[in-house]
Amino acid sequence: MYAVVKKPAPIASDSYRNITLASLIAVGIVLVFWVIKRSAAYIGVPPLWGGEISLIILSAVFLRWKTVAPFLRNTVGLLVLSFIVLPIPFVLLGYTQWGLQALEDYAVFYYAIFIFFGYAAVSNEKTQNFFIRMIYFGIVLNSLHFILARIFPLQEIAPKINDVALLGHNDSCYIYYSFGLAYALIFGSQLKFHSQLILWASIIIPYLIHFERAPILGFSAVVMILLFHRNVWYSGFDNRRFITIMAVLLLIAVLATAVASYVPDLKVKEKFDMQKELVLSIFGWSSELKERDGTREHRLQMWDEVWHDTLEKNLLFGQGFGHELTDVEFRHPHNSFVTILGRLGLLGLFISIGIYIVFPLAALMRLGKLINKQHQRQLLLYCCFWPAFLSGALFSPTLEAPYSALVCNFIFGVFLRNYETATQRA
């Protein structure tokens, strides 16, 4: 394996025998949403969709005072409770005028309960280690689904439920490429060679295919965090193993490129030119993209519209629930924090900043003070999830949609429990 100063111990399979059924159910639901995303969200009978059914199941499993009480003793837990409860009067007011649409708009707030579910599901170090192992499968299967959907018309050939194909939807899948990079560097030492090769392929191949603004920004931020905290993971890094894996992947990439260049239907050059325009548009004006929906300019226009409408209606308490914040084609302004501002004003925005920005920053600042190396590694992994998450939340409806909100909030809950465990034993 790795030539190490102190080799991290692999997670033993025996350590999974005592994982509670509740934790297995929770992690199983999360993995389903992680891999098939939008498809999982449409499982169910309207208005009880996949996200709401999962919420009911996990509420039945975890809503006990002995699990809720520790969560509410934490400042983040109180913020989550406030985030869920405070909008309710405004939602009820919107319901009287707009009906179920108001409840649908409330989703960006009530999906935050999955932070509690993540916190409750990993109540001890055994289950925390179990979830670390499951992250590997989430990353690999997420990428495999994305790659297969690019090769085969999965949305056309897969069975459907509620008129939505069970396979082929990959919204926000790029969040987990950056997260996967952190996992490969921090916990790669616990994997066998073939597992590590699969993991690196699951990171690099879809990232290159999905070479757009959000994953580029997410990768850049994760790399900066990893470089700053390289003492946490680099002591066990085997350069020869890494070089071998990269050489194998490079050979595969060269062969694939050679084959693709002789298949005109793939339009490799046109796709490369489009990715180049997307990258350039991060820093400047792209003449090729300026008229397209979803570009930087379109997002800025939507955000400006939400800001001015909220300022005109009520900056402190927002515009309320039930009506569209932006044009009909884009129900959400492609920035979860702008959505929260539009719905619940500065009140909601400040609470969300406390949960999704201040808490991860506090954990990152505390990371270097930990003594236990395993706790450091786990906490570093979740700190790296934070910019990967923001690469989606700042440019897409990550917290509004169940297929991403469920998974991301759950991981934030695991992050919070891990932070508690690490700092209490520091």
Side-chain angles (χ1 to χ4, degrees):
M1 269 214 169
Y2 280 22
V4 296
V5 176
K6 184 176 181 181
K7 180 179 175 180
I11 302 173
S13 58
D14 289 345
S15 65
Y16 301 152
R17 291 180 180 175
N18 297 322
I19 303 301
T20 65
L21 179 61
S23 295
L24 291 174
I25 292 172
V27 173
I29 290 173
V30 168
L31 285 176
V32 170
F33 276 81
W34 193 332
V35 177
I36 65 174
K37 300 177 179 64
R38 184 189 296 266
S39 305
Y42 276 90
I43 294 173
V45 179
L48 289 179
W49 301 104
E52 286 65 40
I53 293 173
S54 300
L55 190 156
I56 293 170
I57 293 172
L58 295 186
S59 294
V61 170
F62 290 118
L63 279 182
R64 307 283 188 277
W65 179 246
K66 66 178 182 180
T67 54
V68 173
F71 183 70
L72 295 182
R73 284 197 292 266
N74 189 293
T75 302
V76 177
L78 290 174
L79 287 174
V80 171
L81 178 64
S82 301
F83 194 63
I84 296 171
V85 172
L86 288 178
I88 292 177
F90 301 98
V91 175
L92 295 177
L93 184 63
Y95 181 79
T96 61
Q97 183 176 1
W98 304 96
L100 286 176
Q101 181 66 52
L103 297 178
E104 292 179 11
D105 293 340
Y106 177 42
V108 67
F109 296 91
Y110 70 70
Y111 282 140
I113 195 174
F114 285 92
I115 297 177
F116 163 70
F117 294 146
Y119 179 89
V122 293
S123 56
N124 53 54
E125 292 197 43
K126 187 183 293 291
T127 49
Q128 289 171 25
N129 291 334
F130 169 70
F131 188 70
I132 289 287
R133 181 59 177 162
M134 292 302 102
I135 288 173
Y136 172 87
F137 295 102
I139 292 167
V140 170
L141 293 175
N142 171 78
S143 295
L144 179 62
H145 184 207
F146 172 75
I147 294 170
L148 289 177
R150 286 301 182 98
I151 298 174
F152 305 105
L154 293 182
Q155 293 187 33
E156 298 175 13
I157 63 178
K160 295 185 177 181
I161 185 167
N162 292 318
D163 294 324
V164 176
L166 287 176
L167 297 173
H169 296 283
N170 283 287
D171 315 75
S172 301
C173 61
Y174 55 82
I175 291 173
Y176 309 106
Y177 310 155
S178 308
F179 190 37
L181 172 66
Y183 190 94
L185 291 175
I186 298 169
F187 289 101
S189 58
Q190 300 183 24
L191 302 174
K192 295 180 180 179
F193 179 83
H194 70 276
S195 297
Q196 201 172 352
L197 178 63
I198 292 171
L199 178 60
W200 278 107
S202 301
I203 298 164
I204 295 173
I205 294 173
Y207 174 74
L208 292 176
I209 296 173
H210 208 149
F211 197 59
E212 297 182 1
R213 291 164 292 192
I216 290 171
L217 292 172
F219 253 70
S220 301
V222 168
V223 167
M224 288 177 62
I225 291 176
L226 289 170
L227 288 175
F228 189 79
H229 292 282
R230 60 188 178 278
N231 61 303
V232 175
W233 58 269
Y234 190 69
S235 61
F237 195 76
D238 185 347
N239 290 315
R240 289 177 298 177
R241 168 68 68 86
F242 178 75
I243 291 171
T244 302
I245 290 174
M246 291 302 111
V248 172
L249 292 176
L250 179 61
L251 177 61
I252 294 173
V254 170
L255 293 174
T257 303
V259 172
S261 63
Y262 289 100
V263 182
D265 289 344
L266 293 179
K267 300 180 180 179
V268 174
K269 184 179 183 303
E270 290 84 349
K271 290 180 180 179
F272 178 80
D273 290 339
M274 177 58 67
Q275 306 309 325
K276 181 184 70 175
E277 292 293 337
L278 288 166
V279 174
L280 291 175
S281 70
I282 296 175
F283 308 101
W285 181 273
S286 171
S287 59
E288 297 295 326
L289 298 175
K290 64 181 181 180
E291 298 299 330
R292 295 173 180 264
D293 286 339
T295 60
R296 185 190 65 171
E297 288 70 32
H298 185 202
R299 282 174 168 82
L300 291 174
Q301 180 182 349
M302 289 191 291
W303 301 346
D304 182 70
E305 178 185 343
V306 173
W307 165 254
H308 282 95
D309 289 348
T310 306
L311 189 63
E312 182 178 336
K313 180 74 178 290
N314 191 318
L315 183 59
L316 181 58
F317 296 109
Q319 300 180 40
F321 299 79
H323 65 285
E324 306 294 352
L325 292 176
T326 59
D327 57 81
V328 176
E329 185 175 353
F330 282 78
R331 272 193 58 193
H332 307 291
H334 276 58
N335 183 313
S336 293
F337 296 98
V338 173
T339 296
I340 292 166
L341 172 68
R343 294 302 179 195
L344 198 62
L346 292 178
L347 176 64
L349 180 63
F350 288 153
I351 296 174
S352 68
I353 288 173
I355 298 170
Y356 298 108
I357 295 180
V358 175
F359 156 61
L361 271 176
L364 193 59
M365 293 174 65
R366 190 73 184 271
L367 182 64
K369 300 178 181 179
L370 301 180
I371 298 174
N372 186 294
K373 291 298 182 183
Q374 184 67 5
H375 289 163
Q376 270 194 323
R377 286 172 176 268
Q378 291 188 4
L379 192 58
L380 177 59
L381 176 68
Y382 295 120
C383 285
C384 288
F385 173 74
W386 174 48
F389 156 77
L390 287 179
S391 71
L394 293 176
F395 304 103
S396 63
T398 300
L399 292 175
E400 296 91 318
Y403 47 82
S404 49
L406 189 152
V407 179
C408 291
N409 280 320
F410 189 91
I411 294 177
F412 261 96
V414 178
F415 184 3
L416 178 61
R417 175 72 82 171
N418 183 271
Y419 173 72
E420 276 191 357
T421 301
T423 52
Q424 286 172 0
R425 301 193 179 188

